């Protein structure tokens, strides 16, 4: 497979390729370009030329919105093959991949409709002056994607950037980029002018770093690990580019003694096993009020013991982990927790009939009261849940805020005052009350604090992140 530069599919300058492996079977099913700095430079040059020509940013916002809506319609026509490709490439169950494509379509529909709704302001100022505040595109934006939701992430980062009139260079992850390449092809057919979207595949430390370091990139949107996010921010700072970072979390479900357990338990399980736990907003901690600790833990244990991992067509609760390396990272967390004496409360199972070459990990539930342990604080990015007890409301807040992350949290209680108090005091970009997750909530601003990153995606907030505010002060004769 090739790179998309200035509307044409071209091989990487050095001619090198990387294998795409099916995580359920270990089989190589495609090759992608292993691009270098030269390819990134060509893509950034194409994006800059497109921006400077005004072919996209000088269109009316309504016109840009129409192109995005056409793109959404083309994706919808190809939804089923795209979902099948996403399932093959990432290992997620087909039903999850279908949901991802539905969300992707919604991103382009939403931002297609939103393109002409980000109004400026007229500010009252001195007599004889007219002051307007307008929102303009950055120029060239760079987008570095993770492998866990390639299709959804394509929509999440690109749709608002394009709606604002930016010209873009996108680097998907090494693993999980087949759907992205198909989508780039469809974007061409939807009428996106040449050079407005350029897609370069390759290794992070080579192609990703070249994009983050490129002096002609005005803004970077990154989703992935905190380690690389920090590097990307430093590289962007070297040429004074802004960035948004979405870096994952250790998000809690906080379960009070008045919660409806029958409602909460299945949601808590889904919040960690969805996408095999490879979700930035996974509910990877469950904090349980002491009076119901044993009861809630035993109900969770029963639910966990019934959970399964399997290939996409088996429609198990989780698919495989994306790569062998990432699987070893997950099993490493599990082994270290067990070696430290952390109690395994329940273990799901890997279904019979899966390939031994697949990267399957059984869902696991741990419990601990060691709040500083690795398993209680660090993101595993696998189907591993840890339960911890808390004593009262103040302790729940302390424990919820007790990691370096702050992405999302859920509060399970019927007490209205407590719902309000906790939703204000728990750190995070989204707080759920008696529910969990808003993956498909395209209209809801999303993002983290601390080690979870900064900037906001989704909703109208993303249009602000992908634009520059300019104030125009006009003095006229009175
Ligand atoms: P990563 O951060 O290494 O990769 C994410 C993206 O960054 C990929 O496109 C990669 O090619 C690129 N990249 C890697 N090194 C780079 C560099 N030096 N400069 C610029 N770009 C670079 O993530 P990973 O190794 O694939 O996964 C490791 C961990 O990251 C996971 O265990 C998980 O904790 C976290 N992660 C989080 C998310 C999320 O949604 N927040 C997604 C994927 C992974």
């Amino acid at each position: 497979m090739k790179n998309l530069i200035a509307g044409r599919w071209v091989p990487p300058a050095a001619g090198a390729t990387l294998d795409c492996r099916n995580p359920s079977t270990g089989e190589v099913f495609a090759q992608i370009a292993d691009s270098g700095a030269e390819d990134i430079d060509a893509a950034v040059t194409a994006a800059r030329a497109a921006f400077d020509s005004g072919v996209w940013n000088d269109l009316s916002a309504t016109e840009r919105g129409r192109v995005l809506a056409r793109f959404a319609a083309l994706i919808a026509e190809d939804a089923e093959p795209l979902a099948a490709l996403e399932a093959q490439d990432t290992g997620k169950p087909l039903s999850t991949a279908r949901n991802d494509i539905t969300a992707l379509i919604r991103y382009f529909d939403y931002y297609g409709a939103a393109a002409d709704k980000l109004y400026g302001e007229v500010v009252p100022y001195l007599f004889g002056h007219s002051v307007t505040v307008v929102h303009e595109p950055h120029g060239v934006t760079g987008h570095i994607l993770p492998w866990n939701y390639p299709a959804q992430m394509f929509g999440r980062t690109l749709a608002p950037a394009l709606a604002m009139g930016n010209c873009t260079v996108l680097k998907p992850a090494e693993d999980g980029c087949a759907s992205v390449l198909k989508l780039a092809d469809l974007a061409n057919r939807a009428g996106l002018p040449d050079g407005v979207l350029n897609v370069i595949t390759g290794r992070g430390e080579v192609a990703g770093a070249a994009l983050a370091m490129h002096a002609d990139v005005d803004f970077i949107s990154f989703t992935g690990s905190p380690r690389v996010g920090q590097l990307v921010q430093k590289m962007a700072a070297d040429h004074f580019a802004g960035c948004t970072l979405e870096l994952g979390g250790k998000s809690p479900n906080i379960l009070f003694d008045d919660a409806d357990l029958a409602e909460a338990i299945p949601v808590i399980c889904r919040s960690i096993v969805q996408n095999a736990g490879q979700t930035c907003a996974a509910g990877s901690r469950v904090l349980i009020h002491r009076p119901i600790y044993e009861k809630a833990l035993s109900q969770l244990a029963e639910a966990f013991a019934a959970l399964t991992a399997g290939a996409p067509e088996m429609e198990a609760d989780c698919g495989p982990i994306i790569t062998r390396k990432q699987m070893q990272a997950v099993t490493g967390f599990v082994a270290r927790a067990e070696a430290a004496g952390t109690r395994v409360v329940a273990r799901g199972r890997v279904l019979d009939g899966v390939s031994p070459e697949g990267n399957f990990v059984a869902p696991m539930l741990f419990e601990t009261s060691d709040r500083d342990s690795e398993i209680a604080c660090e993101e595993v990015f696998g189907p591993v849940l840890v339960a911890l007890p808390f004593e009262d409301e103040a302790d729940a807040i302390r424990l919820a805020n007790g990691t370096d992350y702050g992405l999302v949290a859920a509060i399970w209680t019927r007490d209205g005052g407590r719902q309000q108090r906790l939703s204000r005091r728990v750190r995070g970009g989204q707080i759920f009350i008696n529910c969990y997750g808003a993956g498909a909530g395209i209209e809801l601003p999303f993002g983290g604090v601390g080690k979870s990153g900064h900037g906001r995606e989704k909703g109208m907030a993303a249009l602000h992140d992908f634009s520059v505010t300019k104030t125009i002060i006009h003095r006229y004769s009175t």
Side-chain angles (χ1 to χ4, degrees):
M1 286 195 245
K2 298 176 178 170
N3 292 320
L4 179 67
I5 300 178
R8 292 219 306 281
W9 290 97
V10 292
T17 56
L18 296 170
D19 289 340
C20 298
R21 245 173 234 284
N22 181 329
S24 305
T25 62
E27 281 159 14
V28 173
F29 69 93
Q31 253 119 22
I32 54 165
D34 183 8
S35 313
E38 212 177 318
D39 306 296
I40 289 287
D41 186 52
V44 174
T45 303
R48 176 60 61 192
F51 189 78
D52 288 348
S53 75
V55 66
W56 182 241
N57 37 309
D58 285 354
L59 287 184
S60 72
T62 311
E63 270 303 314
R64 285 199 301 272
R66 282 197 190 114
V67 175
L68 299 189
R70 254 197 317 273
F71 186 24
L74 284 179
I75 300 170
E77 279 174 24
D78 271 1
E80 196 52 32
L82 276 167
L85 186 63
E86 188 79 336
Q88 178 187 39
D89 200 17
T90 62
K92 59 184 75 191
L94 194 54
S95 55
T96 311
R98 285 193 181 115
N99 290 341
D100 287 2
I101 301 300
T102 304
L104 164 71
I105 295 165
R106 175 98 179 96
Y107 275 113
F108 283 98
D109 269 339
Y110 177 86
Y111 287 106
D116 57 8
K117 312 281 183 311
L118 182 65
Y119 306 131
E121 291 171 74
V122 174
V123 182
Y125 191 53
L126 302 175
F127 183 68
H129 292 71
S130 159
V131 177
T132 49
V133 177
V134 296
H135 304 289
E136 296 187 336
H138 288 285
V140 174
T141 53
H143 304 255
I144 302 177
L145 260 58
W147 39 259
N148 50 350
Y149 290 90
Q152 271 212 57
M153 290 303 311
F154 180 95
R156 187 160 112 187
T157 182
L158 272 185
L162 292 171
M164 282 313 303
N166 295 287
C167 294
T168 62
V169 178
L170 179 133
K171 198 213 76 70
E174 300 76 328
D175 310 291
C177 61
S179 62
V180 167
L181 293 168
K182 282 268 180 255
L183 289 166
D185 211 30
L186 283 184
N188 262 359
R189 280 175 39 207
L192 212 57
D194 292 349
V196 174
L197 167 63
N198 305 276
V199 179
I200 305 288
T201 61
R203 283 167 292 145
E205 64 278 20
V206 181
L211 181 56
M213 279 192 286
H214 201 294
D216 212 16
V217 172
D218 299 303
F219 189 83
I220 296 274
S221 156
F222 172 84
T223 303
S225 61
R227 183 188 69 80
V228 176
Q230 212 166 27
L231 281 176
V232 164
Q233 180 159 8
K234 285 178 183 160
M235 291 188 265
D238 276 346
H239 58 280
F240 303 101
C243 66
T244 54
L245 303 177
E246 206 275 86
L247 310 176
K250 191 75 179 176
S251 299
N253 272 286
I254 309 169
L255 202 51
F256 280 93
D257 58 357
D258 62 342
D260 182 338
L261 287 186
E263 210 176 285
I265 299 290
V267 177
I268 292 170
C269 289
R270 257 201 315 281
S271 78
I272 180 64
V273 296
Q274 192 211 355
N275 213 40
Q278 305 168 111
T279 302
C280 50
S284 49
R285 290 187 294 158
V286 55
L287 317 184
I288 308 175
H289 205 175
R290 182 73 75 186
I292 56 157
Y293 187 71
E294 292 307 330
K295 180 175 160 198
L297 196 64
S298 89
Q299 291 188 19
L300 272 170
E302 199 180 320
F304 248 76
L307 293 171
T308 56
E313 65 281 5
M314 293 173 168
E315 285 298 332
D317 298 295
C318 334
I321 302 296
I322 188 84
T323 56
R324 197 36 73 110
K325 180 170 159 240
Q326 194 60 27
M327 176 188 172
Q328 282 159 356
V330 173
T331 53
F333 275 104
V334 168
R336 287 192 296 279
E338 287 185 297
T342 315
R343 187 166 92 85
V344 178
V345 182
R347 207 184 289 260
R349 70 194 167 91
V350 176
L351 290 174
D352 293 340
V354 299
S355 161
E357 302 306 318
N359 309 321
F360 298 97
V361 173
M364 282 187 74
L365 171 63
F366 282 100
E367 73 154 336
T368 183
S369 45
D370 181 355
R371 297 179 174 195
D372 298 324
S373 58
E374 183 188 56
I375 200 73
C377 295
E378 295 302 327
E379 185 180 47
V380 175
F381 229 57
V384 179
L385 177 65
V386 60
L388 297 112
F390 68 84
E391 306 304 330
D392 54 26
E393 207 174 293
D395 193 35
I397 295 165
R398 239 186 337 266
L399 182 54
N401 292 342
T403 74
D404 295 335
Y405 293 98
L407 191 58
V408 309
I411 301 152
W412 295 89
T413 178
R414 291 185 172 98
D415 180 331
R418 181 183 271 163
Q419 292 166 354
Q420 289 301 318
R421 287 189 296 276
L422 266 92
S423 59
R424 298 306 292 267
R425 289 181 188 149
V426 170
R427 267 156 51 96
Q430 282 186 344
I431 303 292
F432 311 111
I433 300 168
N434 294 328
C435 60
Y436 195 98
I442 276 76
E443 50 286 271
L444 311 179
F446 175 77
V449 298
K451 202 174 169 183
S452 292
H454 54 73
R456 289 294 173 266
E457 299 183 296
K458 301 183 165 188
M460 297 300 278
L463 296 180
H464 285 281
D465 276 21
F466 281 114
S467 62
V468 178
T469 299
K470 181 185 276 176
T471 308
I472 302 168
I473 302 127
H474 175 197
R475 182 170 174 273
Y476 54 89
S477 52
T478 54

